[in-house]
Amino acid sequence: CFGLGEALKAQQKFDDAIESFERTVRLKPDHIEAHHNLGLTLLKSGAYDDAIFVFGAAIALNPELDALHNNLGLALHAKGCYEEAISSFQRAVALSPGLYQALHNLALSLKELGKLDEAIATLQQAMRLKPDFPEAHFSYGNLLHQQGRVAEAVASYRHALQLKPDYVLAHSNLVYALNFLPDYTPETIFSEHLEWA
């Protein structure tokens, strides 16, 4: 059942994958990977409440797995429960201080609560751990732009694009941000738009 669930999940047949993982969990209630994959599949399918419940059950089985706390945080964040998401991400980081993905996720939840300085400091920590993490540079650029630090935001978007040249969102935000910089002529901005297109 478990192997079938993984194959179905990889094919994005989420309903069938959920059914397969649920069957595994019923047959073997202590199968931590089945719980985890069930939670991830529910999260991807948008069933946030169910994902939160399943990740909680998995954490009860093994509270020391950082990935479970991180993914519980993702489900809570997706549902808009940012305070609870922050607690989950912080627990993941406490278990594994080098877990840069959890730091990135933590920063996004902090941002949603308007805690921009904390979010920036958290992203800086993630980028120190993983300098070639394009999503962190992109999110950092978004935060800088939100604070009116547009030139720095542009530099962050460019860095994200150097790391991941096909990063469409970073390129989109870059060309948008250029409109707020007086040093860029309309011609330069137009050529950047052509490159993005």
Side-chain angles (χ1 to χ4, degrees):
C1 290
F2 178 72
L4 175 61
E6 285 193 310
L8 291 165
K9 179 173 162 253
Q11 295 169 20
Q12 298 192 349
K13 295 179 178 176
F14 296 135
D15 290 343
D16 294 333
I18 288 166
E19 191 178 313
S20 189
F21 289 133
E22 283 175 338
R23 196 176 311 122
T24 306
V25 168
R26 278 195 302 275
L27 292 169
K28 198 170 179 190
D30 61 345
H31 195 308
I32 195 78
E33 273 191 83
H35 277 89
H36 194 194
N37 276 288
L38 174 58
L40 286 171
T41 310
L42 288 164
L43 177 58
K44 284 189 176 182
S45 68
Y48 304 134
D49 286 324
D50 291 338
I52 290 164
F53 175 81
V54 170
F55 286 132
I59 287 167
L61 290 171
N62 188 343
E64 302 304 308
L65 271 182
D66 53 21
L68 291 175
H69 292 280
N70 183 54
N71 290 325
L72 173 59
L74 289 174
L76 289 162
H77 181 97
K79 197 185 172 196
C81 303
Y82 303 119
E83 292 282 3
E84 294 94 329
I86 286 167
S87 295
S88 289
F89 295 135
Q90 286 172 333
R91 179 67 184 139
V93 172
L95 288 166
S96 295
L99 195 62
Y100 60 89
Q101 300 98 325
L103 285 165
H104 177 251
N105 297 333
L106 171 58
L108 297 182
S109 287
L110 288 166
K111 176 190 173 221
E112 291 297 332
L113 293 179
K115 299 179 178 181
L116 300 188
D117 290 337
E118 282 181 65
I120 282 175
T122 304
L123 279 174
Q124 287 170 336
Q125 190 180 347
M127 290 185 291
R128 276 194 300 275
L129 286 168
K130 179 83 171 157
D132 60 344
F133 184 20
E135 288 77 13
H137 290 280
F138 169 70
S139 297
Y140 190 59
N142 289 340
L143 284 168
L144 292 168
H145 196 179
Q146 200 170 336
Q147 287 194 328
R149 296 159 64 182
V150 184
E152 292 171 81
V154 165
S156 284
Y157 294 141
R158 288 197 191 284
H159 197 155
L161 283 165
Q162 284 170 358
L163 295 168
K164 186 178 173 182
D166 61 346
Y167 201 160
V168 175
L169 274 176
H171 213 155
S172 173
N173 286 18
L174 167 65
V175 295
Y176 174 70
L178 293 178
N179 292 293
F180 299 92
L181 290 175
D183 295 344
Y184 281 80
T185 65
E187 292 76 23
T188 307
I189 294 170
F190 181 67
S191 71
E192 290 271 4
H193 274 81
L194 288 177
E195 189 181 331
W196 176 66

mmCIF file with all atom_site columns, all heavy atoms in Angstrom, residues 129-149:
data_model
loop_
_atom_site.group_PDB
_atom_site.id
_atom_site.type_symbol
_atom_site.label_atom_id
_atom_site.label_alt_id
_atom_site.label_comp_id
_atom_site.label_asym_id
_atom_site.label_entity_id
_atom_site.label_seq_id
_atom_site.pdbx_PDB_ins_code
_atom_site.Cartn_x
_atom_site.Cartn_y
_atom_site.Cartn_z
_atom_site.occupancy
_atom_site.B_iso_or_equiv
_atom_site.pdbx_formal_charge
_atom_site.auth_seq_id
_atom_site.auth_comp_id
_atom_site.auth_asym_id
_atom_site.auth_atom_id
_atom_site.pdbx_PDB_model_num
ATOM 1   N N   . LEU A 1 129 ? 23.264 29.811 6.199  1.00 0.00 ? 129 LEU A N   1
ATOM 2   C CA  . LEU A 1 129 ? 23.349 28.348 6.203  1.00 0.00 ? 129 LEU A CA  1
ATOM 3   C C   . LEU A 1 129 ? 23.409 27.776 4.795  1.00 0.00 ? 129 LEU A C   1
ATOM 4   O O   . LEU A 1 129 ? 24.095 26.797 4.536  1.00 0.00 ? 129 LEU A O   1
ATOM 5   C CB  . LEU A 1 129 ? 22.125 27.756 6.929  1.00 0.00 ? 129 LEU A CB  1
ATOM 6   C CG  . LEU A 1 129 ? 22.113 27.885 8.448  1.00 0.00 ? 129 LEU A CG  1
ATOM 7   C CD1 . LEU A 1 129 ? 20.730 27.542 8.988  1.00 0.00 ? 129 LEU A CD1 1
ATOM 8   C CD2 . LEU A 1 129 ? 23.161 26.983 9.080  1.00 0.00 ? 129 LEU A CD2 1
ATOM 9   N N   . LYS A 1 130 ? 22.669 28.424 3.869  1.00 0.00 ? 130 LYS A N   1
ATOM 10  C CA  . LYS A 1 130 ? 22.555 27.897 2.493  1.00 0.00 ? 130 LYS A CA  1
ATOM 11  C C   . LYS A 1 130 ? 22.605 29.085 1.531  1.00 0.00 ? 130 LYS A C   1
ATOM 12  O O   . LYS A 1 130 ? 21.574 29.575 1.067  1.00 0.00 ? 130 LYS A O   1
ATOM 13  C CB  . LYS A 1 130 ? 21.234 27.127 2.375  1.00 0.00 ? 130 LYS A CB  1
ATOM 14  C CG  . LYS A 1 130 ? 20.963 26.541 1.015  1.00 0.00 ? 130 LYS A CG  1
ATOM 15  C CD  . LYS A 1 130 ? 21.643 25.217 0.800  1.00 0.00 ? 130 LYS A CD  1
ATOM 16  C CE  . LYS A 1 130 ? 21.152 24.572 -0.488 1.00 0.00 ? 130 LYS A CE  1
ATOM 17  N NZ  . LYS A 1 130 ? 22.104 23.611 -1.008 1.00 0.00 ? 130 LYS A NZ  1
ATOM 18  N N   . PRO A 1 131 ? 23.810 29.580 1.207  1.00 0.00 ? 131 PRO A N   1
ATOM 19  C CA  . PRO A 1 131 ? 23.927 30.769 0.358  1.00 0.00 ? 131 PRO A CA  1
ATOM 20  C C   . PRO A 1 131 ? 23.327 30.599 -1.036 1.00 0.00 ? 131 PRO A C   1
ATOM 21  O O   . PRO A 1 131 ? 22.953 31.585 -1.672 1.00 0.00 ? 131 PRO A O   1
ATOM 22  C CB  . PRO A 1 131 ? 25.439 31.009 0.277  1.00 0.00 ? 131 PRO A CB  1
ATOM 23  C CG  . PRO A 1 131 ? 26.012 30.291 1.453  1.00 0.00 ? 131 PRO A CG  1
ATOM 24  C CD  . PRO A 1 131 ? 25.115 29.118 1.681  1.00 0.00 ? 131 PRO A CD  1
ATOM 25  N N   . ASP A 1 132 ? 23.236 29.355 -1.517 1.00 0.00 ? 132 ASP A N   1
ATOM 26  C CA  . ASP A 1 132 ? 22.718 29.132 -2.868 1.00 0.00 ? 132 ASP A CA  1
ATOM 27  C C   . ASP A 1 132 ? 21.242 28.686 -2.858 1.00 0.00 ? 132 ASP A C   1
ATOM 28  O O   . ASP A 1 132 ? 20.816 27.882 -3.667 1.00 0.00 ? 132 ASP A O   1
ATOM 29  C CB  . ASP A 1 132 ? 23.571 28.089 -3.600 1.00 0.00 ? 132 ASP A CB  1
ATOM 30  C CG  . ASP A 1 132 ? 23.586 26.741 -2.886 1.00 0.00 ? 132 ASP A CG  1
ATOM 31  O OD1 . ASP A 1 132 ? 23.207 26.690 -1.693 1.00 0.00 ? 132 ASP A OD1 1
ATOM 32  O OD2 . ASP A 1 132 ? 23.982 25.745 -3.510 1.00 0.00 ? 132 ASP A OD2 1
ATOM 33  N N   . PHE A 1 133 ? 20.472 29.256 -1.939 1.00 0.00 ? 133 PHE A N   1
ATOM 34  C CA  . PHE A 1 133 ? 19.051 28.935 -1.769 1.00 0.00 ? 133 PHE A CA  1
ATOM 35  C C   . PHE A 1 133 ? 18.235 30.042 -2.443 1.00 0.00 ? 133 PHE A C   1
ATOM 36  O O   . PHE A 1 133 ? 17.975 31.080 -1.838 1.00 0.00 ? 133 PHE A O   1
ATOM 37  C CB  . PHE A 1 133 ? 18.765 28.835 -0.268 1.00 0.00 ? 133 PHE A CB  1
ATOM 38  C CG  . PHE A 1 133 ? 17.379 28.415 0.122  1.00 0.00 ? 133 PHE A CG  1
ATOM 39  C CD1 . PHE A 1 133 ? 16.533 27.748 -0.749 1.00 0.00 ? 133 PHE A CD1 1
ATOM 40  C CD2 . PHE A 1 133 ? 16.912 28.687 1.403  1.00 0.00 ? 133 PHE A CD2 1
ATOM 41  C CE1 . PHE A 1 133 ? 15.262 27.362 -0.362 1.00 0.00 ? 133 PHE A CE1 1
ATOM 42  C CE2 . PHE A 1 133 ? 15.653 28.306 1.810  1.00 0.00 ? 133 PHE A CE2 1
ATOM 43  C CZ  . PHE A 1 133 ? 14.824 27.640 0.924  1.00 0.00 ? 133 PHE A CZ  1
ATOM 44  N N   . PRO A 1 134 ? 17.839 29.860 -3.720 1.00 0.00 ? 134 PRO A N   1
ATOM 45  C CA  . PRO A 1 134 ? 17.218 30.961 -4.465 1.00 0.00 ? 134 PRO A CA  1
ATOM 46  C C   . PRO A 1 134 ? 15.921 31.478 -3.845 1.00 0.00 ? 134 PRO A C   1
ATOM 47  O O   . PRO A 1 134 ? 15.655 32.681 -3.860 1.00 0.00 ? 134 PRO A O   1
ATOM 48  C CB  . PRO A 1 134 ? 16.968 30.370 -5.859 1.00 0.00 ? 134 PRO A CB  1
ATOM 49  C CG  . PRO A 1 134 ? 17.056 28.896 -5.698 1.00 0.00 ? 134 PRO A CG  1
ATOM 50  C CD  . PRO A 1 134 ? 17.934 28.638 -4.526 1.00 0.00 ? 134 PRO A CD  1
ATOM 51  N N   . GLU A 1 135 ? 15.121 30.573 -3.263 1.00 0.00 ? 135 GLU A N   1
ATOM 52  C CA  . GLU A 1 135 ? 13.843 31.002 -2.675 1.00 0.00 ? 135 GLU A CA  1
ATOM 53  C C   . GLU A 1 135 ? 14.049 31.974 -1.514 1.00 0.00 ? 135 GLU A C   1
ATOM 54  O O   . GLU A 1 135 ? 13.259 32.905 -1.326 1.00 0.00 ? 135 GLU A O   1
ATOM 55  C CB  . GLU A 1 135 ? 13.037 29.772 -2.215 1.00 0.00 ? 135 GLU A CB  1
ATOM 56  C CG  . GLU A 1 135 ? 12.451 28.947 -3.349 1.00 0.00 ? 135 GLU A CG  1
ATOM 57  C CD  . GLU A 1 135 ? 13.466 28.060 -4.062 1.00 0.00 ? 135 GLU A CD  1
ATOM 58  O OE1 . GLU A 1 135 ? 14.594 27.882 -3.531 1.00 0.00 ? 135 GLU A OE1 1
ATOM 59  O OE2 . GLU A 1 135 ? 13.147 27.558 -5.154 1.00 0.00 ? 135 GLU A OE2 1
ATOM 60  N N   . ALA A 1 136 ? 15.116 31.767 -0.755 1.00 0.00 ? 136 ALA A N   1
ATOM 61  C CA  . ALA A 1 136 ? 15.402 32.673 0.358  1.00 0.00 ? 136 ALA A CA  1
ATOM 62  C C   . ALA A 1 136 ? 15.778 34.060 -0.158 1.00 0.00 ? 136 ALA A C   1
ATOM 63  O O   . ALA A 1 136 ? 15.350 35.081 0.393  1.00 0.00 ? 136 ALA A O   1
ATOM 64  C CB  . ALA A 1 136 ? 16.515 32.105 1.235  1.00 0.00 ? 136 ALA A CB  1
ATOM 65  N N   . HIS A 1 137 ? 16.579 34.118 -1.230 1.00 0.00 ? 137 HIS A N   1
ATOM 66  C CA  . HIS A 1 137 ? 16.955 35.418 -1.809 1.00 0.00 ? 137 HIS A CA  1
ATOM 67  C C   . HIS A 1 137 ? 15.728 36.126 -2.384 1.00 0.00 ? 137 HIS A C   1
ATOM 68  O O   . HIS A 1 137 ? 15.593 37.345 -2.269 1.00 0.00 ? 137 HIS A O   1
ATOM 69  C CB  . HIS A 1 137 ? 18.034 35.224 -2.873 1.00 0.00 ? 137 HIS A CB  1
ATOM 70  C CG  . HIS A 1 137 ? 19.352 34.818 -2.306 1.00 0.00 ? 137 HIS A CG  1
ATOM 71  N ND1 . HIS A 1 137 ? 20.231 35.705 -1.731 1.00 0.00 ? 137 HIS A ND1 1
ATOM 72  C CD2 . HIS A 1 137 ? 19.937 33.594 -2.191 1.00 0.00 ? 137 HIS A CD2 1
ATOM 73  C CE1 . HIS A 1 137 ? 21.304 35.065 -1.301 1.00 0.00 ? 137 HIS A CE1 1
ATOM 74  N NE2 . HIS A 1 137 ? 21.145 33.783 -1.569 1.00 0.00 ? 137 HIS A NE2 1
ATOM 75  N N   . PHE A 1 138 ? 14.828 35.350 -2.987 1.00 0.00 ? 138 PHE A N   1
ATOM 76  C CA  . PHE A 1 138 ? 13.583 35.917 -3.525 1.00 0.00 ? 138 PHE A CA  1
ATOM 77  C C   . PHE A 1 138 ? 12.726 36.490 -2.391 1.00 0.00 ? 138 PHE A C   1
ATOM 78  O O   . PHE A 1 138 ? 12.268 37.632 -2.462 1.00 0.00 ? 138 PHE A O   1
ATOM 79  C CB  . PHE A 1 138 ? 12.812 34.836 -4.288 1.00 0.00 ? 138 PHE A CB  1
ATOM 80  C CG  . PHE A 1 138 ? 11.412 35.216 -4.657 1.00 0.00 ? 138 PHE A CG  1
ATOM 81  C CD1 . PHE A 1 138 ? 11.181 36.183 -5.626 1.00 0.00 ? 138 PHE A CD1 1
ATOM 82  C CD2 . PHE A 1 138 ? 10.320 34.606 -4.056 1.00 0.00 ? 138 PHE A CD2 1
ATOM 83  C CE1 . PHE A 1 138 ? 9.881  36.546 -5.980 1.00 0.00 ? 138 PHE A CE1 1
ATOM 84  C CE2 . PHE A 1 138 ? 9.025  34.956 -4.400 1.00 0.00 ? 138 PHE A CE2 1
ATOM 85  C CZ  . PHE A 1 138 ? 8.807  35.927 -5.365 1.00 0.00 ? 138 PHE A CZ  1
ATOM 86  N N   . SER A 1 139 ? 12.527 35.708 -1.349 1.00 0.00 ? 139 SER A N   1
ATOM 87  C CA  . SER A 1 139 ? 11.711 36.169 -0.213 1.00 0.00 ? 139 SER A CA  1
ATOM 88  C C   . SER A 1 139 ? 12.357 37.369 0.470  1.00 0.00 ? 139 SER A C   1
ATOM 89  O O   . SER A 1 139 ? 11.664 38.291 0.913  1.00 0.00 ? 139 SER A O   1
ATOM 90  C CB  . SER A 1 139 ? 11.524 35.033 0.797  1.00 0.00 ? 139 SER A CB  1
ATOM 91  O OG  . SER A 1 139 ? 10.821 33.962 0.207  1.00 0.00 ? 139 SER A OG  1
ATOM 92  N N   . TYR A 1 140 ? 13.684 37.360 0.546  1.00 0.00 ? 140 TYR A N   1
ATOM 93  C CA  . TYR A 1 140 ? 14.428 38.481 1.127  1.00 0.00 ? 140 TYR A CA  1
ATOM 94  C C   . TYR A 1 140 ? 14.176 39.741 0.298  1.00 0.00 ? 140 TYR A C   1
ATOM 95  O O   . TYR A 1 140 ? 13.922 40.824 0.845  1.00 0.00 ? 140 TYR A O   1
ATOM 96  C CB  . TYR A 1 140 ? 15.909 38.121 1.166  1.00 0.00 ? 140 TYR A CB  1
ATOM 97  C CG  . TYR A 1 140 ? 16.788 39.058 1.943  1.00 0.00 ? 140 TYR A CG  1
ATOM 98  C CD1 . TYR A 1 140 ? 16.563 39.290 3.302  1.00 0.00 ? 140 TYR A CD1 1
ATOM 99  C CD2 . TYR A 1 140 ? 17.872 39.686 1.343  1.00 0.00 ? 140 TYR A CD2 1
ATOM 100 C CE1 . TYR A 1 140 ? 17.387 40.135 4.025  1.00 0.00 ? 140 TYR A CE1 1
ATOM 101 C CE2 . TYR A 1 140 ? 18.703 40.528 2.065  1.00 0.00 ? 140 TYR A CE2 1
ATOM 102 C CZ  . TYR A 1 140 ? 18.450 40.754 3.404  1.00 0.00 ? 140 TYR A CZ  1
ATOM 103 O OH  . TYR A 1 140 ? 19.267 41.602 4.123  1.00 0.00 ? 140 TYR A OH  1
ATOM 104 N N   . GLY A 1 141 ? 14.225 39.594 -1.025 1.00 0.00 ? 141 GLY A N   1
ATOM 105 C CA  . GLY A 1 141 ? 13.926 40.728 -1.905 1.00 0.00 ? 141 GLY A CA  1
ATOM 106 C C   . GLY A 1 141 ? 12.527 41.269 -1.672 1.00 0.00 ? 141 GLY A C   1
ATOM 107 O O   . GLY A 1 141 ? 12.315 42.497 -1.629 1.00 0.00 ? 141 GLY A O   1
ATOM 108 N N   . ASN A 1 142 ? 11.560 40.390 -1.499 1.00 0.00 ? 142 ASN A N   1
ATOM 109 C CA  . ASN A 1 142 ? 10.180 40.828 -1.248 1.00 0.00 ? 142 ASN A CA  1
ATOM 110 C C   . ASN A 1 142 ? 10.076 41.641 0.037  1.00 0.00 ? 142 ASN A C   1
ATOM 111 O O   . ASN A 1 142 ? 9.388  42.670 0.091  1.00 0.00 ? 142 ASN A O   1
ATOM 112 C CB  . ASN A 1 142 ? 9.242  39.614 -1.171 1.00 0.00 ? 142 ASN A CB  1
ATOM 113 C CG  . ASN A 1 142 ? 9.027  38.960 -2.518 1.00 0.00 ? 142 ASN A CG  1
ATOM 114 O OD1 . ASN A 1 142 ? 9.254  39.567 -3.561 1.00 0.00 ? 142 ASN A OD1 1
ATOM 115 N ND2 . ASN A 1 142 ? 8.595  37.719 -2.502 1.00 0.00 ? 142 ASN A ND2 1
ATOM 116 N N   . LEU A 1 143 ? 10.765 41.174 1.078  1.00 0.00 ? 143 LEU A N   1
ATOM 117 C CA  . LEU A 1 143 ? 10.731 41.888 2.357  1.00 0.00 ? 143 LEU A CA  1
ATOM 118 C C   . LEU A 1 143 ? 11.407 43.252 2.247  1.00 0.00 ? 143 LEU A C   1
ATOM 119 O O   . LEU A 1 143 ? 10.912 44.251 2.774  1.00 0.00 ? 143 LEU A O   1
ATOM 120 C CB  . LEU A 1 143 ? 11.414 41.051 3.442  1.00 0.00 ? 143 LEU A CB  1
ATOM 121 C CG  . LEU A 1 143 ? 10.605 39.874 3.975  1.00 0.00 ? 143 LEU A CG  1
ATOM 122 C CD1 . LEU A 1 143 ? 11.483 38.965 4.814  1.00 0.00 ? 143 LEU A CD1 1
ATOM 123 C CD2 . LEU A 1 143 ? 9.431  40.366 4.811  1.00 0.00 ? 143 LEU A CD2 1
ATOM 124 N N   . LEU A 1 144 ? 12.549 43.291 1.569  1.00 0.00 ? 144 LEU A N   1
ATOM 125 C CA  . LEU A 1 144 ? 13.257 44.563 1.385  1.00 0.00 ? 144 LEU A CA  1
ATOM 126 C C   . LEU A 1 144 ? 12.392 45.543 0.597  1.00 0.00 ? 144 LEU A C   1
ATOM 127 O O   . LEU A 1 144 ? 12.312 46.727 0.937  1.00 0.00 ? 144 LEU A O   1
ATOM 128 C CB  . LEU A 1 144 ? 14.585 44.321 0.659  1.00 0.00 ? 144 LEU A CB  1
ATOM 129 C CG  . LEU A 1 144 ? 15.649 43.550 1.441  1.00 0.00 ? 144 LEU A CG  1
ATOM 130 C CD1 . LEU A 1 144 ? 16.788 43.137 0.527  1.00 0.00 ? 144 LEU A CD1 1
ATOM 131 C CD2 . LEU A 1 144 ? 16.174 44.385 2.610  1.00 0.00 ? 144 LEU A CD2 1
ATOM 132 N N   . HIS A 1 145 ? 11.730 45.049 -0.449 1.00 0.00 ? 145 HIS A N   1
ATOM 133 C CA  . HIS A 1 145 ? 10.854 45.902 -1.256 1.00 0.00 ? 145 HIS A CA  1
ATOM 134 C C   . HIS A 1 145 ? 9.718  46.450 -0.397 1.00 0.00 ? 145 HIS A C   1
ATOM 135 O O   . HIS A 1 145 ? 9.364  47.625 -0.484 1.00 0.00 ? 145 HIS A O   1
ATOM 136 C CB  . HIS A 1 145 ? 10.312 45.120 -2.449 1.00 0.00 ? 145 HIS A CB  1
ATOM 137 C CG  . HIS A 1 145 ? 9.723  45.997 -3.507 1.00 0.00 ? 145 HIS A CG  1
ATOM 138 N ND1 . HIS A 1 145 ? 9.196  45.504 -4.669 1.00 0.00 ? 145 HIS A ND1 1
ATOM 139 C CD2 . HIS A 1 145 ? 9.573  47.343 -3.595 1.00 0.00 ? 145 HIS A CD2 1
ATOM 140 C CE1 . HIS A 1 145 ? 8.743  46.497 -5.411 1.00 0.00 ? 145 HIS A CE1 1
ATOM 141 N NE2 . HIS A 1 145 ? 8.961  47.622 -4.768 1.00 0.00 ? 145 HIS A NE2 1
ATOM 142 N N   . GLN A 1 146 ? 9.165  45.586 0.452  1.00 0.00 ? 146 GLN A N   1
ATOM 143 C CA  . GLN A 1 146 ? 8.078  46.001 1.336  1.00 0.00 ? 146 GLN A CA  1
ATOM 144 C C   . GLN A 1 146 ? 8.527  47.095 2.291  1.00 0.00 ? 146 GLN A C   1
ATOM 145 O O   . GLN A 1 146 ? 7.733  47.935 2.705  1.00 0.00 ? 146 GLN A O   1
ATOM 146 C CB  . GLN A 1 146 ? 7.569  44.784 2.116  1.00 0.00 ? 146 GLN A CB  1
ATOM 147 C CG  . GLN A 1 146 ? 6.184  44.961 2.681  1.00 0.00 ? 146 GLN A CG  1
ATOM 148 C CD  . GLN A 1 146 ? 5.624  43.647 3.221  1.00 0.00 ? 146 GLN A CD  1
ATOM 149 O OE1 . GLN A 1 146 ? 6.014  42.560 2.817  1.00 0.00 ? 146 GLN A OE1 1
ATOM 150 N NE2 . GLN A 1 146 ? 4.701  43.748 4.155  1.00 0.00 ? 146 GLN A NE2 1
ATOM 151 N N   . GLN A 1 147 ? 9.809  47.104 2.634  1.00 0.00 ? 147 GLN A N   1
ATOM 152 C CA  . GLN A 1 147 ? 10.358 48.130 3.525  1.00 0.00 ? 147 GLN A CA  1
ATOM 153 C C   . GLN A 1 147 ? 10.820 49.373 2.766  1.00 0.00 ? 147 GLN A C   1
ATOM 154 O O   . GLN A 1 147 ? 11.372 50.284 3.353  1.00 0.00 ? 147 GLN A O   1
ATOM 155 C CB  . GLN A 1 147 ? 11.530 47.565 4.329  1.00 0.00 ? 147 GLN A CB  1
ATOM 156 C CG  . GLN A 1 147 ? 11.113 46.594 5.417  1.00 0.00 ? 147 GLN A CG  1
ATOM 157 C CD  . GLN A 1 147 ? 12.248 46.323 6.387  1.00 0.00 ? 147 GLN A CD  1
ATOM 158 O OE1 . GLN A 1 147 ? 13.417 46.324 6.020  1.00 0.00 ? 147 GLN A OE1 1
ATOM 159 N NE2 . GLN A 1 147 ? 11.905 46.109 7.645  1.00 0.00 ? 147 GLN A NE2 1
ATOM 160 N N   . GLY A 1 148 ? 10.634 49.375 1.448  1.00 0.00 ? 148 GLY A N   1
ATOM 161 C CA  . GLY A 1 148 ? 11.055 50.517 0.640  1.00 0.00 ? 148 GLY A CA  1
ATOM 162 C C   . GLY A 1 148 ? 12.522 50.499 0.262  1.00 0.00 ? 148 GLY A C   1
ATOM 163 O O   . GLY A 1 148 ? 13.041 51.483 -0.278 1.00 0.00 ? 148 GLY A O   1
ATOM 164 N N   . ARG A 1 149 ? 13.199 49.398 0.509  1.00 0.00 ? 149 ARG A N   1
ATOM 165 C CA  . ARG A 1 149 ? 14.633 49.280 0.178  1.00 0.00 ? 149 ARG A CA  1
ATOM 166 C C   . ARG A 1 149 ? 14.746 48.618 -1.208 1.00 0.00 ? 149 ARG A C   1
ATOM 167 O O   . ARG A 1 149 ? 15.176 47.480 -1.361 1.00 0.00 ? 149 ARG A O   1
ATOM 168 C CB  . ARG A 1 149 ? 15.323 48.456 1.262  1.00 0.00 ? 149 ARG A CB  1
ATOM 169 C CG  . ARG A 1 149 ? 15.277 49.142 2.624  1.00 0.00 ? 149 ARG A CG  1
ATOM 170 C CD  . ARG A 1 149 ? 15.484 48.190 3.793  1.00 0.00 ? 149 ARG A CD  1
ATOM 171 N NE  . ARG A 1 149 ? 16.803 47.567 3.795  1.00 0.00 ? 149 ARG A NE  1
ATOM 172 C CZ  . ARG A 1 149 ? 17.186 46.673 4.706  1.00 0.00 ? 149 ARG A CZ  1
ATOM 173 N NH1 . ARG A 1 149 ? 16.359 46.293 5.664  1.00 0.00 ? 149 ARG A NH1 1
ATOM 174 N NH2 . ARG A 1 149 ? 18.390 46.145 4.648  1.00 0.00 ? 149 ARG A NH2 1
#
